[in-house]
Amino acid sequence: MSMAIRRNGLALLLLAFAAPSFASELPRRPSLGIELVPAAEPGVRVNTVPDNVRWRGPALQAGDRITTLGGTTVASPAEAAAALRAADQGEAIAITAVRGETTIETSAPLVPHPLERGEGFAIDYATLPLAEGRRRLVLTRPESAGAKPALLMIGGLGCYPADNPFNPDEAQRALTHAATRAGFITLRVEKSGAGDSEGPPCATEPMATEVRGLVAGLRWLKARPDVDPSRVFIVGLSMGGIVGPLAAVAGLAFFEIVGGTSWFEYELENRRRQLGLRGQTAVQIDAAVRERAWCLMAVMVDGRARAEVIAARPGCERELRYPLGDAYMQDVFAQNIPELFAALDGAPTLVVYGSADFITSRAQGEGVVAAINAAHPGRATFVEIAGMDHWLSQAADQRASFDRAVNQGRFIDRFHPAAATVLVEGLAKNAEGAP
């Protein structure tokens, strides 16, 4: 499963550049025209409902939980997206939703998904051809003339659209918009089969499929006449901080990442921390961590199929709930993660951690900085933002973020403005010093 880094080429990460190619434009994905987000219970939660939705029955409201679309049970936003894709745009789709103790039966016609809009800058939707199908690119750009610094934004674990037309507090949208207002061009590359993009479902693919899209997107970005190719940066959020290190860029910024230990160690540390937030006893926590270790060793290290392991040991079902398949996660577990960062070519690197993040830890971020500085002294900087959580939302502490995200099912809250400030100031400083 392990893929070694090669200088100036593609192995695990993004190191190749060439001329772009072009393809016919991707159509917009079918949509209800509303924002759907993960729910604490099976289904998807309605988060935003514009006034222009043409309901054929009772109107849904923010907070409702959709459980079926077109007669298909949906347990996640990815399953909801698949059900919508299977329907015909323009036709009404049947919807079952829950509001409190009440079940609601309604329907609405499918429409092209709304576009993300910017204030004071342009947002372009483009198409990137790859062997497995076309991918959606979302580019934000200042409208002034001249070649500008640019950044490639890499999101976290999971399969989701590259754009977000509804929620200004979503981290990728908030950071890219802030960077664009500061004079940067930004690019987001959609994962295979997600959002508008073609190709096999992201959840079934190995890490190399995601990397292939990012490499091609970076090549496309650097070839644009309005981009200064000597000042191109990577911004990685969560898992994006592991997927994103590369050699030939002006600098990197990683938010809420794992990198101070192996992924196996991180998983056990994370499980222990979250069970403590649930209020479990030391005895209960130790038993659960042992169970998780056994399950992870069987699938992620020994390479056994997840379904086979769960059938033999049903308790592993709760320990192996990942939004991506075995191939991708086995690629992650196979990496010597500190080595990925030590192998960087001395590009200045900013590592940002939020004190309210219960998904990772300060020590993990500091481990990334230590790995880089051991190989390239003084090139990595660590910044902690008080009151910021894993989704770059505001939260008083880890317990408050845990309660909102896990107990209430609200992962995103008010965006923490310091995240944008730290990123923009760091990028601007390194853009000035780039060759």
Side-chain angles (χ1 to χ4, degrees), residues 137-178:
L137 302 178
V138 181
L139 182 111
T140 66
R141 56 181 174 84
E143 300 201 58
S144 56
K148 298 173 180 61
L151 68 85
L152 174 68
M153 174 68 68
I154 306 177
L157 195 68
C159 302
Y160 43 81
D163 62 339
N164 191 316
F166 296 109
N167 194 344
D169 291 310
E170 188 271 325
Q172 290 192 67
R173 169 174 166 161
L175 288 178
T176 54
H177 286 210

Side-chain angles (χ1 to χ4, degrees), residues 70-101:
T72 300
T73 299
V74 295
S76 67
E79 291 183 5
L84 294 173
R85 280 187 179 219
D88 294 325
Q89 198 161 125
E91 297 295 321
I93 189 169
I95 305 166
T96 302
V98 177
R99 182 182 302 157
E101 301 297 321

Side-chain angles (χ1 to χ4, degrees), residues 242-255:
I242 293 175
V243 176
L246 56 132
V249 293
L252 306 100
F254 301 135
F255 285 76

Side-chain angles (χ1 to χ4, degrees), residues 23-399:
S24 57
E25 179 59 26
L26 274 169
R28 202 69 174 128
R29 61 189 178 273
S31 166
L32 293 170
I34 64 179
E35 182 187 16
L36 301 176
V37 299
E41 301 175 73
V44 289
R45 184 167 60 85
V46 178
N47 201 48
T48 305
V49 184
D51 294 335
N52 62 355
V53 180
R54 294 177 294 150
W55 299 105
R56 298 181 184 177
L60 296 185
Q61 302 173 5
D64 291 346
R65 178 167 53 90
I66 294 175
T67 56
T68 71
L69 287 168
T72 300
T73 299
V74 295
S76 67
E79 291 183 5
L84 294 173
R85 280 187 179 219
D88 294 325
Q89 198 161 125
E91 297 295 321
I93 189 169
I95 305 166
T96 302
V98 177
R99 182 182 302 157
E101 301 297 321
T102 303
T103 298
I104 301 167
E105 302 289 346
T106 190
S107 66
L110 294 180
V111 298
H113 198 66
L115 298 172
E116 187 176 312
R117 304 292 184 186
E119 294 184 10
F121 58 88
I123 299 183
D124 300 330
Y125 283 71
T127 299
L128 182 70
L130 293 174
E132 64 268 19
R134 296 171 295 173
R135 299 276 193 94
R136 170 64 70 209
L137 302 178
V138 181
L139 182 111
T140 66
R141 56 181 174 84
E143 300 201 58
S144 56
K148 298 173 180 61
L151 68 85
L152 174 68
M153 174 68 68
I154 306 177
L157 195 68
C159 302
Y160 43 81
D163 62 339
N164 191 316
F166 296 109
N167 194 344
D169 291 310
E170 188 271 325
Q172 290 192 67
R173 169 174 166 161
L175 288 178
T176 54
H177 286 210
T180 307
R181 286 191 288 268
F184 287 77
I185 292 173
T186 81
L187 181 68
R188 286 165 274 171
V189 179
E190 203 159 66
K191 299 180 185 182
S192 177
D196 297 340
S197 295
E198 298 171 338
C202 160
T204 67
E205 291 297 290
M207 186 181 286
T209 303
E210 180 180 357
V211 170
R212 192 157 50 244
L214 292 168
V215 169
L218 185 62
R219 185 171 63 234
W220 182 92
L221 179 66
K222 289 170 72 74
R224 287 179 60 91
D226 56 354
V227 169
D228 178 350
S230 71
R231 296 188 294 164
V232 175
F233 300 80
I234 293 293
V235 178
L237 306 182
S238 190
M239 180 63 76
I242 293 175
V243 176
L246 56 132
V249 293
L252 306 100
F254 301 135
F255 285 76
E256 314 296 5
I257 67 171
V258 174
T261 65
S262 69
W263 192 268
F264 192 95
E265 292 172 273
Y266 156 72
E267 286 279 7
L268 301 184
E269 169 197 305
N270 189 33
R271 183 74 164 132
R272 186 176 294 279
R273 177 174 51 249
Q274 293 190 29
L275 290 173
L277 291 170
R278 288 184 184 275
Q280 293 198 7
T281 67
V283 172
Q284 292 172 316
I285 291 172
D286 191 70
V289 169
R290 286 171 179 269
E291 178 80 351
R292 188 170 189 82
W294 189 95
C295 301
L296 292 177
M297 182 64 73
V299 176
M300 304 306 174
V301 179
D302 295 342
R304 295 169 59 186
R306 194 181 313 190
E308 171 198 329
V309 170
I310 291 172
R313 191 159 174 163
C316 288
E317 190 278 331
R318 67 178 175 273
E319 304 298 342
L320 297 171
R321 292 175 183 170
Y322 292 102
L324 298 176
D326 293 351
Y328 190 103
M329 294 310 304
Q330 286 166 356
D331 285 343
V332 174
F333 273 78
Q335 303 312 311
N336 181 328
I337 298 176
E339 184 179 34
L340 300 181
F341 297 103
L344 294 173
D345 282 4
T349 304
L350 174 67
V351 176
V352 184
Y353 171 72
S355 66
D357 184 1
F358 66 87
I359 300 294
T360 183
S361 66
R362 178 187 176 102
Q364 289 287 347
E366 290 176 328
V368 172
V369 172
I372 295 170
N373 285 339
H376 307 283
R379 301 305 284 166
T381 304
F382 179 84
V383 174
E384 179 173 322
I385 296 177
M388 186 179 79
D389 71 5
H390 196 72
W391 296 272
L392 312 192
S393 294
Q394 298 177 46
D397 51 28
Q398 290 186 5
R399 188 171 299 280

